[in-house]
C-alpha cells in the first residue's frame, strides 16, 4: 500500500522490481514531497524577503511554515531553535566552527563514540589538531553496544563536549542517548546528538533527550537532498559566533560595525535552499501522518524477520548484534567479496550499499574493513526481504 506513494519504487532494475534497501544512505521520496517542490516553483518561487511582493510573501510563509514543522517534529521549544543547513554534516561543522573554535582551548577534551560516522569524527579531529584538544573515544562491546562504564571513566572536568550518534549507520546500534546526555551534563559538558539515522525510525524529542544540539539530514527522512536542520538551545545559539557571513544574517551593517540577527537567521547567511526546506516540511507531514511510532514498530518486526532469515544462511557473519537496533543489517558472506554480493543482489533488483559506510573506525573495531549493508524503511516488505534472502541462498549454492 505505502509503496504506491513512492513513484520510484515502481522502477524495474535488470527487469526486476526495485527493492530499495539503501535507506541508510538516502531514502526515496513520496509523491507528496515531489509535488510540493514542483508547486513551489510553479506558484511561489521567490527569494524570501517578505515585504517586497506577493510571491516573496508566499515563499517566506512556506519556508517559515517548514521551520515550524521541524520544530514540532523534534518537539523543540521554539522555531528560533531550528536552523536550516545542508544536512547533518553541515550542522556538525557549524557547531565545530561557531562554538568549538571560539570556546575550546588547549587541553580541553571532546568525547565521541567508536560508532561515529566520519561526519561526526573529522570536524572534531580537525578542531582537536588545530587547538590542541584531546579527542577521546567511548568504546563498544563485541556486539557494537556503547560501554557506559567506560564512558563514565572518560568524563572529567576537562570534558567540554560529547558528540555521538543516536543510531549507528554501519551497525544499526541504538545508543542510550538520554543516559549519555545526562552523564555529560553532570560534568558540565555540552552535547551534540547526530540524529541522521534516528529521526526516520523513532520519535526524537529534544526536550526529553535534552541535548544542546541535534542534527539531521532531510534526504534520510524521505525529503530532498541539500537540506537538513540543526537544533540548538536558543540561548546557546544566540551566544554562538555566526557560521558564514553575508546577507540575511545581519541586522545592520556599516563599515565600522556589524550587528547580527539572533538565531536562526544569524546562521542562515545568503539565499538558502528555500524549495527543499519546503519539501522537507512535506516529508515531515508525510511521516507524521503515518505515525513515527507505528513506523518504528513495523520496521522492528521487519528487521527481526530479516535478521532471523539472514542468520540461517551458512557463512553469513552479522556485523553488529546489539540488543537494540534500527534498520541496518551489516554482514559478510563467506566465499564472496562484498562487492560480489552487492552485484548479485543488484542483478535481482535489490539495492544495498557495500563498503565502509563512512564509518571506518567501528568496522575496524568489529574486525572488518567493509560490509554489505541492507538498511530498511517502512515501505519495505517481507516480500522484499524474501527476494534478498533468496539471492543469498542462490550464491551459497554455487560456492559451498
Ligand atoms: N551521521 C550519520 C550517522 C550518517 O549516517 C550520515 C550519512 O550517512 C551522516 C551523519 C552525514 O549525513 P549527510 O551526508 O546527509 O550530511
Amino acid at each position: 500500500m505505502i509503496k504506491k506513494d513512492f513513484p520510484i519504487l515502481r522502477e524495474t532494475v535488470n527487469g526486476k522490481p526495485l527493492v530499495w534497501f539503501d535507506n541508510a544512505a538516502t531514502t526515496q521520496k513520496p509523491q507528496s514531497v515531489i509535488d510540493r517542490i514542483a508547486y513551489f516553483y510553479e506558484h511561489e518561487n521567490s527569494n524570501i524577503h517578505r515585504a517586497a511582493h506577493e510571491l516573496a510573501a508566499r515563499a517566506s510563509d512556506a519556508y517559515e511554515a517548514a521551520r515550524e514543522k521541524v520544530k514540532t517534529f523534534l518537539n523543540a521549544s521554539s522555531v528560533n531553535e531550528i536552523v536550516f543547513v545542508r544536512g547533518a554534516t553541515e550542522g556538525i561543522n557549524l557547531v565545530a566552527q561557531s562554538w568549538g573554535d571560539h570556546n575550546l582551548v588547549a587541553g580541553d577534551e571532546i568525547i565521541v563514540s567508536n560508532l561515529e560516522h566520519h561526519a561526526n569524527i573529522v570536524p572534531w579531529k580537525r578542531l582537536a589538531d588545530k587547538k590542541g584538544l584531546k579527542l577521546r573515544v567511548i568504546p563498544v562491546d563485541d556486539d557494537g553496544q556503547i560501554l557506559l562504564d567506560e564512558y563514565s571513566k572518560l568524563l572529567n572536568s576537562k570534558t567540554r563536549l560529547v558528540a555521538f550518534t543516536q543510531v549507528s549507520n554501519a551497525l544499526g546500534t541504538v545508543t542510550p542517548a538520554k543516559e549519555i546526555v545526562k552523564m555529560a551534563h553532570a560534568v558540565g559538558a555540552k552535547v551534540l546528538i547526530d540524529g541522521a539515522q534516528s529521526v526516520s525510525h523513532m520519535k526524537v524529542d529534544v526536550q526529553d533527550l535534552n541535548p544542546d544540539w541535534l542534527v539531521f539530514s532531510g534526504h534520510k527522512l524521505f525529503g530532498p537532498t541539500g537540506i537538513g536542520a540543526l537544533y540548538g538551545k536558543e540561548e546557546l545559539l544566540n551566544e554562538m559566533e555566526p557560521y558564514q557571513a553575508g546577507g540575511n544574517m545581519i541586522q545592520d551593517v556599516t563599515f565600522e560595525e556589524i550587528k547580527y540577527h539572533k538565531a536562526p537567521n544569524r546562521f542562515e547567511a545568503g539565499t538558502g535552499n528555500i524549495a527543499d526546506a519546503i519539501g522537507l516540511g512535506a516529508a515531515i507531514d508525510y511521516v507524521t501522518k503515518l505515525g513515527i511510532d507505528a513506523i518504528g514498530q513495523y520496521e522492528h518486526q521487519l528487521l527481526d524477520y530479516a535478521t532471523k532469515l539472514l542468520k540461517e544462511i551458512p557463512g553469513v557473519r552479522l556485523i553488529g548484534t546489539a540488543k537494540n537496533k534500527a534498520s541496518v543489517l551489516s554482514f559478510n558472506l563467506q566465499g564472496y567479496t562484498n562487492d560480489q554480493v552487492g552485484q548479485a543482489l543488484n542483478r535481482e533488483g535489490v539495492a544495498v550499499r557495500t563498503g565502509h559506510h563512512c564509518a571506518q573506525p567501528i568496522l575496524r573495531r568489529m574486525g572488518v574493513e567493509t560490509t554489505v549493508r541492507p538498511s530498511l524503511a517502512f515501505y519495505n516488505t517481507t516480500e522484499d526481504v524474501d527476494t534478498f534472502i533468496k539471492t543469498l541462498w542462490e550464491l551459497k549454492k554455487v560456492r559451498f
Side-chain angles (χ1 to χ4, degrees):
M1 275 294 283
I2 282 169
K3 272 198 183 188
K4 288 208 183 74
D5 294 342
F6 292 78
I8 207 168
L9 298 180
R10 294 195 284 274
E11 285 293 300
T12 53
V13 170
N14 297 319
K16 308 283 167 57
L18 170 66
V19 172
W20 185 255
F21 271 180
D22 199 11
N23 293 290
T26 201
T27 53
Q28 300 302 350
K29 321 306 170 197
Q31 189 68 53
S32 59
V33 168
I34 299 167
D35 288 349
R36 185 65 189 88
I37 296 166
Y39 184 91
F40 172 79
Y41 285 118
E42 285 167 3
H43 301 287
E44 301 166 325
N45 179 46
S46 162
N47 211 322
I48 43 175
H49 29 233
R50 182 173 300 273
H53 47 70
E54 169 65 22
L55 291 194
R58 288 184 198 173
S60 305
D61 287 349
Y63 183 73
E64 291 307 326
R67 196 190 307 279
E68 182 77 40
K69 287 173 192 190
V70 176
K71 177 223 149 198
T72 305
F73 182 66
L74 295 179
N75 193 30
S77 314
S78 157
V79 283
N80 297 335
E81 299 185 321
I82 306 300
V83 179
F84 282 122
V85 288
R86 265 197 310 126
T89 301
E90 187 174 43
I92 296 167
N93 277 278
L94 189 160
V95 175
Q97 289 172 37
S98 298
W99 179 80
D101 205 12
H102 292 278
N103 288 279
L104 302 183
V105 295
D108 283 347
E109 298 184 1
I110 295 177
I111 297 178
V112 296
S113 90
N114 204 164
L115 292 166
E116 299 315 307
H117 186 280
H118 296 165
N120 203 25
I121 300 174
V122 183
W124 305 121
K125 173 72 177 131
R126 277 166 58 91
L127 193 65
D129 290 348
K130 178 178 167 191
K131 302 190 68 101
L133 316 173
K134 190 163 173 186
L135 190 64
R136 310 189 74 179
V137 182
I138 312 172
V140 297
D141 65 15
D142 292 344
D143 291 316
Q145 303 175 116
I146 293 269
L147 291 166
L148 280 178
D149 283 354
E150 296 299 318
Y151 167 50
S152 73
K153 290 181 204 158
L154 299 177
L155 290 163
N156 62 56
S157 59
K158 284 187 254 153
T159 312
R160 300 293 309 280
L161 174 74
V162 178
F164 72 98
T165 192
Q166 198 175 6
V167 174
S168 153
N169 70 308
L171 308 186
T173 309
V174 179
T175 60
K178 207 170 162 178
E179 192 66 24
I180 294 173
V181 174
K182 216 191 280 175
M183 289 164 74
H185 282 162
V187 298
K190 300 257 183 288
V191 184
L192 180 144
I193 295 182
D194 177 354
Q197 294 293 343
S198 59
V199 290
S200 55
H201 304 295
M202 61 187 67
K203 177 70 195 155
V204 174
D205 179 332
V206 289
Q207 293 191 60
D208 180 47
L209 288 169
N210 196 28
D212 297 281
W213 303 280
L214 183 139
V215 297
F216 75 88
S217 299
H219 71 98
K220 294 186 199 282
L221 184 64
F222 316 97
T225 51
I227 191 74
L230 162 71
Y231 157 83
K233 288 184 175 161
E234 188 167 356
E235 212 180 294
L236 178 59
L237 287 180
N238 285 329
E239 284 166 10
M240 283 161 57
E241 287 294 313
Y243 175 49
Q244 295 177 336
N248 256 342
M249 49 81 76
I250 50 80
Q251 236 168 31
D252 195 74
V253 175
T254 66
F255 289 109
E256 287 72 39
E257 195 194 0
I258 295 168
K259 288 204 181 86
Y260 303 115
H261 274 308
K262 290 193 160 179
N265 304 59
R266 183 185 195 80
F267 299 106
E268 292 183 5
T271 301
N273 191 348
I274 303 163
D276 291 320
I278 295 165
L280 172 58
I284 288 174
D285 285 344
Y286 182 86
V287 167
T288 305
K289 212 163 104 195
L290 287 183
I292 194 75
D293 292 333
I295 288 173
Q297 269 170 31
Y298 173 79
E299 288 178 355
H300 195 73
Q301 282 167 12
L302 196 62
L303 186 66
D304 281 352
Y305 178 76
T307 305
K308 181 175 166 293
L309 293 177
L310 191 59
K311 276 183 173 164
E312 286 169 4
I313 301 170
V316 163
R317 179 184 165 208
L318 206 53
I319 317 283
T321 44
K323 279 199 196 77
N324 195 0
K325 278 182 64 168
S327 171
V328 171
L329 283 157
S330 255
F331 69 97
N332 296 143
L333 180 64
Q334 194 188 9
Y336 290 91
T337 66
N338 293 321
D339 283 345
Q340 286 171 330
V341 176
Q343 282 156 15
L345 288 165
N346 184 55
R347 281 196 291 277
E348 299 303 317
V350 181
V352 298
R353 174 129 182 230
T354 60
H356 60 52
H357 320 305
C358 300
Q360 286 179 307
I362 190 56
L363 289 190
R364 289 184 179 144
R365 162 64 182 86
M366 306 309 279
V368 295
E369 280 294 315
T370 63
T371 68
V372 184
R373 185 196 64 179
S375 49
L376 313 177
F378 57 76
Y379 41 58
N380 295 128
T381 60
T382 50
E383 290 78 40
D384 292 345
V385 172
D386 293 344
T387 306
F388 159 69
I389 294 288
K390 186 163 162 265
T391 310
L392 296 181
W393 273 109
E394 274 157 16
L395 284 178
K396 245 8 247 184
K397 274 185 224 146
V398 180
R399 288 185 207 162
F400 303 104

